[in-house]
Structures are given as C-alpha cells and as structure tokens.
Amino acid sequence: MSEPTKEQAEQPEDLSQVLEDRREKLERIRQAGIEPFPNEFADREEIGEVRAAHEGLAPGVETESRHRVAGRIVARRGHGKACFIDVRDGSGQIQLHARQDLLGEEAYALLVDLDLGDIVGAEGTAMATRRGGELSLSIDHWRLLAKSLRPPPDKFHGLEDPETRFRRRELDLIANEESRRAFRTRARTISEIRRWFDEHGFVEVETPVLQPLYGGALARPFTTHHNALDRDLYLRIATELYLKRLVVGGIDRVYELGKDFRNEGVSHKHNPEFTMLEWYEAYADYAKTAHDLEMLVAEVAERVLGTTKVPRGEVEIDFAPPWRRITLREAILEQAGIDIVEHPTRDALAKAMGTEPDPKEGWGKLVDGLLSKEVEPGLIQPTFIFDYPVELSPFAKAHRSEEGMVERWEAFVGGVEIANSFTELNDPDEQRRRFEQQAAEVARGDEEAQPYDEAFIEALEQGMPPTGGVGLGIDRLVMMLTGAKALREVLLFPAMRT
C-alpha cells in the first residue's frame, strides 16, 4: 500500500465521521426552516473596500457605518455569549463580532454551530477591537449562503501536497494566500499586456483554434475529427500563419492572445495547453521586435509589481532594458567550446559533440540540442540569443550578412526561453523552398517538422511587407514575475499524469 500524502495525513483521522456530521447539520438547518443554499445575497460590499474605508481606525472606536459583506468562514474564536468569526472573499478578510444580545439566542446558536468552510453573509457596523485594534463588523444580522459539506484544508499548515494543490486547485486557493496572489498577478499581467498593445496602435484579433492544417511552429499537433464535415482538424500549435495573412490584408499591427496546443511532454516548463501572445508589425525587423519586447516586459513588470526587479531563488532578475545580446554561435562556443559554423554538417557536428545522433536528427536539431543543454540553463538574467541556422527557422528571413543564418532571436530568463522572434520571410518562392525542406525532414521521420501549406504561399504571393513578429509565452513570463519554479504553479488546472 502506498504511503499517504502529506495532505491526506493532515485530514481528520475519521473523515467519514466529519462528512456525516456535516450532513446531519445540513438536515438540522433545513428542519429549522432555513434554506442552506439560497439564490442570492444582494447589495454586498467587497471586504477589501470595507477595510479600505476604515483604514487607520483607532482601537476601541465604534462607528455607525453599516456594511454588508459575504465570504467563507476561515476561523472562529470565543465562546459563551460572544465570538469572533473571520470570513474571507476574493478581496480580503474581515472579522465578524457576534453577540447573542444583538442577534438573539436562536440566531446566535445557529451561527456558532456553523463549520469552517461555510459561506455566510452578514450585516453590521464597523468597529476596531480594544485589544489589537482589529477592524471588525459588529453584526446584527447574518444568513447562511452555502453549507460546506467537506472540511477545508488544515488551517495552520495550509495545503502543501503538490499533487493535491494542482489537481484540486479550489482547495489550494482556499488554503494558500500565495496561490491567490500568483493568479491575481497572472490576471493583471495579461490585462497590462493588452493595454500596452492597445496603447501602441495594435489591433487584437481572434484566429481559428481548429485548423485544417497546423503550422507556425515545429511541434506535433493534437488531431480531432469534425463529424459534420467528415474531416480531420488540428488544434493549433501557433497563430503565426493566420496573423501574417492579416498583415497581407493590411492590418499593419496585429496581435492575438490565446491558447495553443502541442502534443508534447509535461515538464517544469511544458504543458500541452498553454497561453501564447503573438504580434506582428509591418515594416519592422527583429531588431525592432527585440526593443519592443524588453520595453513591454519591463513596463508590465513595473505596472504589476511596482518594480522591474524580481527575486528568483538566490538571485534577483532585473527586467530593465537593455537586455544582454549575444549570437547563437557565440553562446554555444562560449559554453560548449564548439563553433557550429566550422562544423556545418550533421556528421561533423556530431563528431565534435562526441555523440551518435538519432537518425531522425539533422544538423539543425543537433544545434538546438546544444542550445538547450549547454546554453539555456545558464541564461538567468534577460538575454537575447540572435541569429539562428535556417534549418531551425522555416519562417524567418535570411540574414542580411551571415550566410546560412536567419534573422531570428530567442529571449531567455531564469534559464527558460520566454519568447521567439523573426524578421519574417516574405518571399513566397523562398518560403516554398523552405516548406519543401521541411517535407524532407518529415520524410526523415521528424514528427515536429512543418507541413507544406499552399494557402499560406498563395497569401504571400499577394505581397507581404517587411514584417517583424514575436511569440511570447505568457505562462513562462508569469513564472518569472511570480518566482514560480514550475509552469504548473501558474496554470490553474495543469495537465497531470494519472
């Protein structure tokens, strides 16, 4: 038999008895003529607003200011004819001061018989306790809004077992303030990103999630079947090709913030469903997009956190521009001692690496492996890696001075890639040749290679202006802003192994 998790160990020894007791209370409440799950509690105020309205109230002061709040019971103290009950909503926590002489004997008895986790509404006047000056509501009315039939996580230790936290996110949010804070940070980050683009003249759009042909990245797709059309469709792996078709159509600054799906493994930095921001700007190149990314991230950090400096482990990451810039060739030479330009074939590079590559791996895959293993883990401060081999970048424009390279960068923070950018390829004949090259990789057995997309070629044949494009991983950015160690800490419901 497997050992119980820490969270299971923290639950009451006889959970079945606790559940039975709560069911019995539910029945007693109903027999008393009280509806334990009413339809509404109108005109309530956010607890955070109530606290803000009485900030600095001196100890012992009783006001005549009435408030109506609602929330989950998270703590209870006192006995006899008076008690204190802490309730919490999404904005904060406040103490209810309940007295039998104000509520009446029956209402008071029902209130003190409630359980932790029950949701109540209450009305009363604001006051500050004599001892400690804690802001409280002296209540003269309360109402049960939802009876909790299961006990909340241990109130002293919180919810610590990772498996339970990620599989039962509602319990994690009930128990852990740091989790609530992280997801508020995520929400504000997305809002500030949208504001930045709106302020800079970009148009937000929505493109298909179900696509007849996947593309825009090197990844395996999820496949589904549309019954009415009797055809297979793919969950998108990127929004790139549709967004560039909109640039062809004349939307010179365009962005989309939404879900992508890639049929890949689960790790501390990978989830098969993730949130991606992509933007494209006509008449710009990858130098312009690098400048825009560092400005965007720094401004969003400042607006959300009040600073560009974020602690991560034992170091402090500073998002303030300018970020470090280094070429891929220089970075691999610096960390692995291998000059990829001097080893331009698969066999030559494999020999320099001292490895026997998988037959499915071409030269470009070997270069990517060197980047991932030798360079990426050490890129803690924000860093741009510039200029990639054409084999790794089927949609990037050829480098204007480095043969065999394309104008592409990736941005890394905390040892993780957070963004990718190209000076976009807009020559339809060269794009066709690149697709054919990718088809050869498919024939070699590379399941992540880009399929040939004739509709996209035809769009390019209409004429696309010089364009810079960026893909920014929202989940990974939020990881860096919150100090999270793994992606699933900033995903409300991450994919989990069974």
Side-chain angles (χ1 to χ4, degrees):
M1 181 179 295
S2 62
E3 291 292 323
T5 66
K6 178 175 175 58
E7 196 52 46
Q8 290 170 332
E10 290 174 354
Q11 290 289 341
E13 291 184 8
D14 190 353
L15 180 60
S16 61
Q17 184 61 54
V18 172
L19 299 179
E20 183 179 338
D21 290 345
R22 289 189 174 226
R23 288 280 179 182
E24 289 178 356
K25 284 188 180 182
L26 176 66
E27 288 308 309
R28 290 201 299 271
I29 289 168
R30 283 185 166 135
Q31 289 171 8
I34 298 171
E35 170 53 57
F37 301 101
N39 290 32
E40 51 76 38
F41 188 72
D43 301 322
R44 78 173 182 94
E45 298 173 68
E46 296 256 329
I47 288 174
E49 294 176 357
V50 175
R51 297 193 68 88
H54 297 284
E55 187 175 1
L57 193 64
V61 173
E62 299 182 11
T63 77
E64 296 182 358
S65 179
R66 293 189 62 80
H67 299 282
R68 186 173 166 88
V69 300
R72 187 181 299 275
I73 297 176
V74 295
R76 182 173 51 210
R77 298 168 301 284
H79 53 82
K81 297 183 179 181
C83 68
F84 291 100
I85 297 173
D86 293 341
V87 297
R88 185 175 64 223
D89 68 6
S91 67
Q93 182 171 310
I94 198 168
Q95 180 174 263
L96 305 181
H97 184 205
R99 290 164 41 193
Q100 181 176 294
D101 61 340
L102 283 178
L103 291 170
E105 186 174 343
E106 183 178 355
Y108 181 79
L110 285 169
L111 177 61
V112 297
D113 195 42
L114 294 180
D115 293 307
L116 295 182
D118 289 351
I119 299 174
V120 297
E123 189 171 344
T125 55
M127 57 170 284
T129 58
R130 289 184 177 85
R131 185 179 299 175
E134 174 67 22
L135 179 66
S136 307
L137 290 186
S138 178
I139 62 171
D140 50 34
H141 172 77
W142 74 272
R143 183 182 183 187
L144 178 63
L145 301 180
K147 176 64 186 166
S148 175
L149 299 178
R150 288 184 172 272
D154 183 275
K155 64 180 179 179
F156 296 107
H157 300 95
L159 186 66
E160 297 179 359
D161 177 61
E163 287 290 309
T164 305
R165 286 183 56 223
F166 303 140
R167 293 183 189 277
R168 298 290 308 279
R169 184 64 82 181
E170 67 278 11
L171 298 182
D172 179 38
L173 295 173
I174 288 172
N176 297 325
E177 169 58 28
E178 60 269 26
S179 292
R180 296 193 296 273
R181 188 183 306 115
F183 288 105
R184 285 194 294 267
T185 297
R186 180 188 176 101
R188 284 202 60 199
T189 297
I190 291 172
S191 295
E192 293 297 344
I193 285 173
R194 278 198 164 98
R195 185 165 81 169
W196 192 93
F197 280 98
D198 293 343
E199 289 174 350
H200 286 78
F202 283 78
V203 176
E204 183 176 10
V205 298
E206 296 173 294
T207 60
V209 173
L210 285 175
Q211 301 180 346
L213 186 66
Y214 64 94
L218 303 180
R220 286 184 296 173
F222 288 96
T223 307
T224 188
H225 186 78
H226 193 292
N227 292 332
L229 297 178
D230 191 25
R231 65 182 298 187
D232 286 340
L233 295 172
Y234 304 95
L235 293 179
R236 69 184 181 198
I237 62 174
T239 56
E240 176 173 347
L241 302 189
Y242 282 94
L243 293 178
K244 288 198 284 193
R245 287 165 68 174
L246 297 180
V247 174
V248 170
I251 305 180
D252 290 343
R253 291 191 178 106
V254 63
Y255 78 99
E256 182 168 9
L257 207 164
K259 292 286 189 181
D260 287 342
F261 307 84
R262 296 181 186 176
N263 200 346
E264 58 189 12
V266 176
S267 75
H268 75 285
K269 60 180 181 179
H270 291 96
N271 193 70
E273 174 185 353
F274 58 97
T275 303
M276 179 68 76
L277 164 71
E278 288 199 40
W279 82 83
Y280 294 84
E281 181 178 359
Y283 312 107
D285 68 356
Y286 76 147
K288 171 66 161 53
T289 60
H291 170 269
D292 286 351
L293 178 79
E294 62 188 0
M295 295 302 296
L296 164 68
V297 173
E299 288 186 29
V300 167
E302 187 70 48
R303 288 175 174 178
V304 174
L305 306 175
T307 178
T308 61
K309 298 179 179 180
V310 181
R312 185 167 185 82
E314 297 179 355
V315 302
E316 184 177 68
I317 292 175
D318 190 352
F319 288 105
W323 296 2
R324 182 191 181 207
R325 287 158 166 76
I326 186 173
T327 68
L328 177 64
R329 177 186 181 184
E330 293 167 340
I332 292 177
L333 181 61
E334 181 181 284
Q335 297 299 321
I338 297 174
D339 190 336
I340 59 174
V341 173
E342 292 184 359
H343 302 86
T345 67
R346 173 179 176 273
D347 291 342
L349 185 55
K351 183 177 180 180
M353 294 170 61
T355 184
E356 185 64 36
D358 188 304
K360 298 177 182 179
E361 292 184 335
W363 181 81
K365 283 281 186 178
L366 295 180
V367 172
D368 191 49
L370 281 171
L371 171 63
S372 299
K373 295 173 184 176
E374 303 293 338
V375 178
E376 184 173 331
L379 300 176
I380 305 304
Q381 294 299 328
T383 302
F384 290 110
I385 302 289
F386 273 76
D387 302 341
Y388 282 62
V390 65
E391 288 87 345
L392 291 176
S393 314
F395 298 106
K397 201 171 185 67
H399 198 283
R400 61 196 81 182
S401 61
E402 298 290 337
E403 186 175 354
M405 297 292 179
V406 296
E407 295 193 347
R408 173 189 178 186
W409 56 253
E410 288 182 298
F412 298 85
V413 183
V416 175
E417 178 214 340
I418 65 165
N420 185 29
S421 175
F422 308 147
T423 300
E424 302 294 339
L425 179 58
N426 61 345
D427 180 339
D429 295 333
E430 174 62 14
Q431 181 65 77
R432 182 178 285 107
R433 190 189 71 77
R434 301 272 187 91
F435 275 147
E436 291 168 351
Q437 183 184 52
Q438 287 291 299
E441 295 297 320
V442 172
R444 188 199 292 271
D446 187 349
E447 295 179 333
E448 296 184 350
Q450 165 70 48
Y452 192 99
D453 190 336
E454 182 60 33
F456 180 65
I457 294 291
E458 292 179 2
L460 288 185
E461 288 177 337
Q462 298 293 146
M464 185 176 84
T467 299
V470 181
L472 171 62
I474 298 301
D475 308 324
R476 292 183 180 182
L477 175 61
V478 174
M479 273 180 65
M480 299 304 133
L481 294 178
T482 60
K485 296 179 180 178
L487 204 67
R488 61 185 185 174
E489 293 181 27
V490 297
L491 300 174
L492 280 169
F493 299 100
M496 302 285 287
R497 292 183 174 89
T498 56

